[in-house]
Amino acid sequence: MVCTGCALLCDDIEVGENDCRHACRIGDAHITSTNQIDPMVNRSPVDMDTAIKSAAEILVSAEKLVFVGFGNLVTEAQATGIELAEKVGAEIKTFHTGIFDDILDGRVKTCTLPEVRDYADIIIFLGCDPMNTHPRLLSRYAYYPRGEKRQHGWEEDRTAITIDPRFSHTASICKDSYVIDPHRQIEFMDALMDALLSKVPKTAYDKKRILKLAGTLKKAEFGVIFAGTGAAAPPRDAIIRLMDRLNESSDFRLLSLAPGYNLRSIAEQLRQLHSRPTDDCDVVDSDSNSGGSNGGDGGIDLHKADCILCLGFDLMNSLPAHGINGKLIVIDPNETLTSRYADVVIPCAAGGIDAAGSAVRMDGEPIELPLIRESGRLSDVAILKRLLEVV
Amino acid sequence: MKLEFGEFLAAPECKVVIVACPDVFRTEAGLRHGKFSSEYRELSAVIVLDPTDMAKIEVKDSDLVEVLGEEGVVIVRVKESEKEHPGIGYVPEGAWANVLGAGPASAKVRRSQQGIAAIEDVYHR
């Protein structure tokens, strides 16, 4: 079975009657979760048909309509969601997809997770803490395993380093860590870029340590940066500039550690459909989040939307959602903070658990998601198709 | 008569920058017990502070503090940090951190006499 608890899409999960073998804490809880919701309209239980009809009525009457999320939908549901958005004139806002756009546009080099396992000798965790977000990344690919050219694994063949505003759990097991000021991340990145040119950086950070870091990075045979997409990560353009500088003297690849198991797929689909980058809203990204706005780079500000359709996305638990007053429609397998406040709630089967489908792993590998168990719940694809028929 | 903070005296405050961080145990609790559970609340309504900042506001580990952010106020439990990071408060990602504003957000922290509110009371719509 495949776990859809995060974008690693671990495919070695064995689900028994009473246990869930090989899954991490997140995966086990995700697969065995029972916090399901009932269809609701105006916070009162209704039947599915009524909930879908009410959602359709709101969708057709809205003028400033935004669809948010998509990262926790199977690929097929994402495609239907895009179709529905085009039909009702909705804007699509995906979050945390910026680095995927850079990768898909060829602005930075990337690689697959098995290549990380087989070849990576220097691994940087930049503004991310996979021990808390992608718990099996280090054991399956990035640090501990023996790879084709890294037979000695983490003990001798790999050096893992964290650069983060916190001494995280990941930092505690890495060989070196750099704790950076959350307001001075660009200063650190610029200092590192100077050091990579063998210049003494002008910075209040420890210059010797930055020069030492640059020396380590320059020796990489196959370097990989895992970049976070939240507030703890440096701005995207700084990451891209660092990648360019690193690749002047060594060989580095970038992979994005974003929330949601299928974000790469929606980034790919939107890029193919519109031949343009998605309206990326890394809302907690320091350079794209002025004044707590959820508008991202253009498009409808969520505060000004008169209807927001949350697709597998707990909006109110994910963003500073103050003052969002538009109608809220939620399609989600589980009860969320947003579903508690939504005008319409439509429960769906969860991708890879009680709904089969496909997804794209964070490194671009297509993965089939078989059914783990039958539940009788409608899949997100089926719900979106029904909405598509009636709007 | 002994004067207590909050009666006639303002509790001492310190300024911190709030950084939201992931926490696998909190994510697990949200999935296993639900986002309205006490387990999830206990793991979400937390701020990790440097001991020097804790001394400034006269609180110890597990005390409750009021965090006054740019966009809202929350009551959370203090956890003493094992590493030095004066001026920075780490809050688990999620509703409580979001109430304070988009990170990294500036905030003031002071001792609180109130308890941690339920998630429904943290967010109003």
Side-chain angles (χ1 to χ4, degrees):
Chain A
M1 299 298 175
V2 177
C3 174
T4 51
C6 76
L8 291 179
L9 295 173
C10 294
D11 56 1
D12 59 347
I13 308 301
E14 293 171 15
V15 182
E17 283 284 312
N18 300 309
D19 63 349
C20 184
R21 295 183 64 198
H22 301 155
C24 67
R25 281 182 176 277
I26 294 174
D28 186 274
H30 171 67
I31 291 167
T32 58
S33 173
T34 54
N35 295 301
Q36 297 173 0
I37 35 174
D38 294 321
M40 312 266 273
V41 173
N42 296 326
R43 301 176 200 180
S44 300
V46 294
D47 58 51
M48 275 295 274
D49 290 341
T50 306
I52 290 173
K53 190 176 165 220
S54 298
E57 284 168 4
I58 294 171
L59 290 176
V60 293
S61 62
E63 289 176 0
K64 290 181 180 173
L65 186 52
V66 183
F67 288 7
V68 296
F70 286 84
N72 287 308
L73 301 185
V74 293
T75 302
E76 297 79 1
Q78 291 174 344
T80 314
I82 292 169
E83 217 178 317
L84 180 64
E86 286 180 337
K87 190 166 178 186
V88 297
E91 184 179 315
I92 291 175
K93 281 187 186 291
T94 58
F95 299 94
H96 305 280
T97 49
I99 292 175
F100 288 128
D101 292 333
D102 295 327
I103 289 169
L104 293 167
D105 290 342
R107 283 197 283 272
V108 282
K109 277 206 294 191
T110 189
C111 61
T112 64
L113 289 170
E115 284 174 330
V116 175
R117 181 193 59 217
D118 286 338
Y119 308 121
D121 57 345
I122 306 285
I123 302 108
I124 306 287
F125 298 106
L126 179 60
C128 61
D129 180 12
M131 291 291 284
N132 278 296
T133 57
H134 298 72
R136 298 184 75 202
L137 176 69
L138 278 77
S139 60
R140 293 196 85 200
Y141 303 107
Y143 195 40
Y144 294 116
R146 276 81 174 104
E148 189 184 314
K149 290 200 172 174
R150 304 293 162 208
Q151 284 294 309
H152 299 287
W154 67 279
E155 296 100 323
E156 292 177 31
D157 281 347
R158 297 192 209 275
T159 301
I161 299 163
T162 59
I163 302 172
D164 196 80
R166 182 174 69 135
F167 187 84
S168 62
H169 291 125
T170 306
S172 68
I173 55 170
C174 286
K175 285 179 184 158
D176 210 352
S177 79
Y178 293 77
V179 177
I180 57 177
D181 185 320
H183 286 311
R184 291 168 49 228
Q185 300 194 44
I186 293 176
E187 180 187 327
F188 183 90
M189 300 290 273
D190 287 341
L192 180 55
M193 281 187 266
D194 282 345
L196 285 165
L197 292 176
S198 303
K199 291 182 193 167
V200 176
K202 290 176 186 167
T203 177
Y205 287 106
D206 185 336
K207 297 179 182 65
K208 278 187 184 171
R209 285 198 76 211
I210 290 177
L211 284 164
K212 182 189 156 206
L213 174 62
T216 305
L217 301 186
K218 280 198 276 191
K219 287 178 199 156
E221 289 173 11
F222 192 108
V224 178
I225 293 184
F226 287 97
T229 56
R236 243 171 86 197
D237 68 315
I239 297 173
I240 303 304
R241 283 190 291 121
L242 176 65
M243 286 295 295
D244 290 342
R245 182 64 55 82
L246 281 166
N247 282 322
E248 287 169 12
S249 54
S250 54
D251 186 13
F252 264 82
R253 291 113 203 284
L254 182 67
L255 281 164
S256 172
L257 277 188
Y261 73 86
N262 203 17
L263 263 184
R264 170 123 181 185
S265 165
I266 188 66
E268 286 179 1
Q269 291 196 58
L270 289 174
R271 187 170 174 276
Q272 281 167 8
L273 276 171
H274 305 299
S275 299
R276 63 170 173 77
T278 53
D279 176 19
D280 173 49
C281 307
D282 288 351
V283 289
V284 285
D285 188 315
S286 54
D287 71 338
S288 64
N289 188 28
S290 54
S293 162
N294 296 323
D297 304 326
I300 303 171
D301 187 320
L302 291 182
H303 295 99
K304 292 176 183 161
D306 57 3
C307 174
I308 301 170
L309 172 60
C310 300
L311 290 160
F313 182 66
D314 191 359
L315 173 74
M316 301 183 82
N317 204 39
S318 306
L319 311 176
H322 309 276
I324 289 180
N325 296 314
K327 295 268 186 191
L328 276 177
I329 303 169
V330 168
I331 300 178
D332 204 291
N334 296 325
E335 186 179 33
T336 63
L337 184 54
T338 313
S339 73
R340 182 68 66 98
Y341 295 100
D343 297 279
V344 178
V345 176
I346 307 174
C348 64
I353 299 178
D354 47 353
S358 59
V360 180
R361 202 169 62 192
M362 54 181 273
D363 59 349
E365 179 73 19
I367 306 277
E368 285 303 312
L369 306 176
L371 198 71
I372 290 180
R373 59 174 174 265
E374 294 277 0
S375 70
R377 294 196 293 180
L378 275 181
S379 70
D380 38 17
V381 188
I383 291 165
L384 289 166
K385 279 188 175 163
R386 281 186 61 182
L387 282 171
L388 201 53
E389 285 166 9
V390 293
V391 293
Chain B
M1 187 180 76
K2 190 184 172 191
L3 292 178
E4 293 290 338
F5 289 124
E7 291 181 27
F8 299 104
L9 299 171
E13 294 177 343
C14 74
K15 287 183 181 176
V16 293
V17 174
I18 301 294
V19 176
C21 301
D23 176 10
V24 69
F25 298 101
R26 176 191 147 276
T27 307
E28 182 193 15
L31 290 163
R32 209 176 285 289
H33 305 291
K35 289 180 178 168
F36 300 94
S37 64
S38 57
E39 290 90 346
Y40 185 73
R41 185 175 66 217
E42 285 299 318
L43 291 166
S44 298
V46 171
I47 186 166
V48 180
L49 287 178
D50 186 90
T52 56
D53 290 331
M54 289 170 65
K56 279 183 203 165
I57 57 173
E58 298 172 12
V59 294
K60 56 185 186 306
D61 196 63
S62 296
D63 279 354
L64 293 169
V65 292
E66 192 175 18
V67 186
L68 300 92
E70 290 163 356
E71 295 184 23
V73 181
V74 288
I75 310 289
V76 295
R77 198 173 297 284
V78 172
K79 195 174 169 193
E80 185 175 330
S81 180
E82 292 168 6
K83 292 275 174 185
E84 283 184 19
H85 51 82
I88 296 175
Y90 300 115
V91 177
E93 289 171 349
W96 275 266
N98 290 336
V99 166
L100 301 171
S106 298
K108 287 178 189 170
V109 185
R110 67 184 177 208
R111 205 163 72 191
S112 172
Q113 308 293 339
Q114 299 170 52
I116 297 170
I119 201 165
E120 302 93 310
D121 299 324
V122 172
Y123 257 111
H124 298 283
R125 184 168 191 264

